[in-house]
Amino acid sequence: MSTAPPDADELSRRAGEFLAAHDPAATEPLEFLRARFDAGLAWVHYPEGLGGLGAPRHLQPAVDRRFAEAGAPTNHPERNGIGLGMAAPTILAFGTEEQKRRFLRPLWTGEELWCQLFSEPGAGSDLAALATRAVRDGDAWTVNGQKVWTSMAHEARWAILVTRTDPGVPKHRGMTYFVCDMTAPGVEVRPLRQITGEAEFNEVFLTDVRIPDEHRLGEVGQGWRVSTTTLMNERVAIGGSAAPRESGMIGVVAALWRDRPELRTPGLHDALLRAWVETEAARLTGARLRQQLTAGEPGPEGSGAKLAFAKLNQEVSGLELELLGEEGLRYDDWTMRRPTEVDFTRRSPGYRYLRAKGNSIEGGTSEILRNIIAERVLGLPGEIRVDKDVAWKDLPR
Amino acid sequence: MSDLLYGEIENDLRASVREVLGDRAPWASVLAGTERDEPCDAALWRTVAGELGCAGLPVPEELGGAGATWRETAVVMEELGRSAAPVPFLSSAVIATAALLAAGERELLAGLAAGERIAVLAVPFSAAPGDVRTTVEAADGTLTGEVTSVADGMAAEVLLVPAGDGLYAVDAADARRTAATSLDMTRRLADLAFSAAPARRVAEGTGAVRAALRTGAALLASEQLGLAERCLDDTVAYVKTRYQFGRPVGSYQGLKHRLADLWTSITQARAVARHAASCVAADDADTPIAVAVAQAHCSAVAVKAAEECVQMHGGIGFTWEHPAHLFLKRAKADAIALGTPDRHRAALASLVDLPPA
């Protein structure tokens, strides 16, 4: 066991040693990923024995680059964003030692995918209004309810689940958080077809689902506190990418502008340049946010980053359709499918335009994010709350 | 990627400039100054430029400067933007200084760096970095012609005039100067006329003028950032205390969401302005793009912030007694200064290969 947390040089040395001992080309991918986890080089800021070495978080990208350059197999983060971005940090913060040892390794290697059973038909932005009931029954809980907008539910082995365990107290106090086995009897996943024609997410019906008490995450009644950790990590996961200039939607439209002079009009030129400037401003803001994190002085800029991203993606994908004119009238495929990842660039302009409409709803609506900025950053008075001191069971629904 | 944060020295510099401006340029005194027939606040200028050493920040030590960079100067610009202080810092300590640095003109530079002399580049304040047209002719060491709408033209002792084949220094006393009634009451314009005015050539070609306008445009973004921050701060403070219908108006989502959007734009403006300042400081290859982006973005943010400040203050925001109008006038003039957003977007179009229709 080391005493001081490893620095950049130490991590680089360990990564080098690991790669020398495990030839990426000759090692079976899953075996390689498990060994990388066991060596503490999976997420270096996690504790030893749980995939990390207790190193500073900002040293992770250099380690990832080192492995990528060596041609190491990936754990397909695009397929397990909820597991890696939200479930893992929540389990780390609130899980028992046994839960951490059971769940984190197969989560990181991608052997077990995760989904998030949070939103309900009656509780989206107002998550604490949720109605899915969990009732104690000896060493287990019996769960009944309906969740919605659940990405990856059709692939996931496990879910993070938040439930109501005490309807007699105000809504934030009567919630409890669990890990739910998606293969348990009574879990039914139904595809939910959306605006693009495909079913990227699902409805999940929970009927008398038994969850052992050892799969409870945090104390009974502490579900809101645990959920807050998940949601904070969700926004960090969404805002933290390091994109080069002209990446994403603006790159798609700029390339189209250069390749197809016959489509150009003066008005669209102006709109394109305005969007180009806005995208560059958002990119530089993201770069500054990362510099702040590295310097250990995190700012609240992350909440604005998601807001700006959603607005831009919607504007620029709409611009692309107008630029295409007649071609913009067509769509690639309305077939109902169940994709496991979202990739804007592999689908048609029409898909991009429609899918972008989700950006201002998923992971916190733009309206909720504006409330958060106004109240927590600018210190403006909170919304008038009529539900604060009322027992959940007495609230109008 | 350039360093977009502020260092310890920059934070210290900001604190001392903000303290001085808080004492010497509260908005009531800035407003009172607009009623006087003085081209700028000369006493404040001596303090900021000379005593605090802000005018010499980007000038090498052997020329009497501090040997710092345009990054530190940009922090001073942010603070000046926050107060709309009527001093010729942008004109003399940024634009004229950048021209003289590019020209390698040592004698004039030392006086500017010490804050002892004020020089301005004699071009219309609306000139974009690519504008090198001149309306002045040079012959036998004299200049003849007219230049309109020169920022701080009445405050200047030395006029740096692009003419013919280069850049000339003219003693302001040798020009006929007419004060203009300016939209921005805190940065006044003047029309200049030269009639065989004695002139000394300080640079050949147009390089020094281009460098000066580019540096000015880059650092103007920091002034716009500071102005926008001030407008947001004042507005947030006001909507917390102004009650209507029994609650602070800042509790209404209609206002909260607009202020959240404004905060998001200002957050972006900070990254963009820092990038532009860092690029000119390092003479980075990305400078032309960084400057065009900064002016296209920060101009709009500053105007929006000032407009929201007026609107969300309600009737009081429309009065002469409230400082909001000083910021609105400065913001709109700044949007036109050194190239409108549209001019900068057009420049960008060729820089990033997005040709017009």
Side-chain angles (χ1 to χ4, degrees), chain A residues 234-235 238-239 301-312 358-366 369, chain B residues 264:
Chain A
E234 182 170 32
R235 296 197 185 110
I238 290 173
E301 279 83 348
S303 11
K306 194 213 167 231
L307 200 56
F309 163 78
K311 174 174 171 282
L312 263 170
N359 295 153
S360 52
I361 302 170
E362 59 200 345
T365 63
S366 291
L369 290 176
Chain B
T264 303

Side-chain angles (χ1 to χ4, degrees), chain A residues 161-243:
Chain A
L161 165 69
V162 59
T163 67
R164 177 140 329 268
T165 45
D166 186 353
V169 295
K171 61 184 186 178
H172 288 87
R173 281 193 257 146
M175 299 159 71
T176 302
Y177 200 108
F178 295 97
V179 168
C180 176
D181 182 347
M182 292 298 286
T183 66
V187 177
E188 189 199 345
V189 176
R190 291 186 205 159
L192 190 57
R193 197 173 185 191
Q194 60 216 45
I195 196 167
T196 55
E198 62 185 21
E200 191 188 297
F201 43 51
N202 305 272
E203 299 177 289
V204 178
F205 295 84
L206 305 165
T207 311
D208 294 330
V209 177
R210 300 268 298 170
I211 297 183
D213 190 54
E214 62 256 32
H215 284 180
R216 174 167 46 78
L217 212 51
E219 299 303 313
V220 173
Q222 291 288 303
W224 179 251
R225 209 178 132 221
V226 186
S227 303
T228 305
T229 300
T230 307
L231 296 176
M232 272 166 22
N233 279 288
E234 182 170 32
R235 296 197 185 110
V236 171
I238 290 173
S241 75

Side-chain angles (χ1 to χ4, degrees), chain B residues 239-314:
Chain B
V239 300
K240 283 179 187 173
T241 54
R242 168 72 174 169
Y243 276 68
Q244 295 282 266
F245 306 103
R247 51 194 267 215
V249 295
S251 69
Y252 290 96
Q253 235 177 30
L255 299 194
K256 285 164 80 170
H257 284 193
R258 278 159 57 185
L259 288 165
D261 283 339
L262 191 55
W263 177 85
T264 303
S265 301
I266 291 173
T267 299
Q268 295 184 330
R270 190 174 302 112
V272 162
R274 279 267 92 186
H275 182 56
S278 299
C279 281
V280 290
D283 199 15
D284 192 289
D286 203 34
T287 302
I289 291 176
V291 169
V293 168
Q295 275 307 299
H297 187 76
C298 298
S299 294
V301 173
V303 171
K304 182 76 180 171
E307 288 175 349
E308 291 288 64
C309 182
V310 169
Q311 177 65 22
M312 292 196 207
H313 276 83

